[in-house]
């Protein structure tokens, strides 16, 4: 099946499916044209679409994977917050004149 069909069957948008491919979670075959071709086994476990609504049953492998991904995201957020705090500290510690003042060109005095 092509990416649009996989997106419809799982309720996951195509951009997120491409991200999963970048992360090695999905490995579709490629047609000579470059189109991705997914197998029925690529439909995410415990997920499906009921009309327009995404449904997910609770299954251990999905919950374990989601918990691991949530932990990875939390670590990334913490790292980014630390970098932001360090940047804020540097920005607020700078001398007030350093943000706009430039030395006068030589011989202009």
């Amino acid at each position: 099946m092509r990416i649009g069909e996989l997106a419809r069957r799982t309720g996951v948008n195509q951009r997120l499916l491409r991200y999963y491919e970048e992360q090695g979670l999905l490995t579709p075959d490629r047609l000579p044209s470059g189109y991705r071709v997914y197998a029925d086994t690529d439909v995410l476990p415990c997920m499906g679409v009921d009309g327009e609504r995404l449904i997910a049953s609770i299954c251990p492998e999905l919950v374990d994977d989601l918990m691991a991904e949530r932990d990875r995201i939390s670590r990334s957020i913490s790292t980014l917050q630390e970098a932001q705090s360090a940047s804020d500290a540097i920005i607020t510690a700078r001398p007030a004149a350093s943000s706009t003042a430039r030395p006068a060109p030589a011989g202009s005095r």
Side-chain angles (χ1 to χ4, degrees):
M1 83 188 84
R2 301 250 304 263
I3 194 167
E5 174 68 10
L6 182 62
R8 187 189 65 72
R9 288 180 59 185
T10 61
V12 176
N13 70 47
Q14 293 180 22
R15 184 173 182 206
L16 190 53
L17 292 171
R18 288 186 197 100
Y19 173 77
Y20 290 159
E21 182 182 349
E22 289 173 10
Q23 299 303 308
L25 300 172
L26 289 173
T27 54
D29 291 329
R30 292 284 186 145
L31 297 175
S33 63
Y35 286 110
R36 296 165 175 87
V37 179
Y38 297 90
D40 285 336
T41 57
D42 289 327
V43 175
L44 302 173
C46 305
M47 299 187 81
V49 176
D50 178 17
E52 296 290 318
R53 187 173 58 97
L54 175 65
I55 56 171
S57 303
I58 300 300
C59 59
E61 63 271 16
L62 179 60
V63 173
D64 291 345
D65 289 345
L66 287 173
M67 288 174 59
E69 181 64 8
R70 184 190 61 197
D71 290 344
R72 186 195 65 77
I73 291 168
S74 294
R75 287 190 303 274
S76 294
I77 290 169
S78 293
T79 299
L80 289 169
Q81 287 174 329
E82 289 170 10
Q84 183 180 34
S85 293
S87 296
D88 288 345
I90 292 168
I91 291 167
T92 57
R94 73 170 197 261
S98 70
S99 63
T100 58
R102 298 182 190 269
S108 65
R109 293 178 196 203

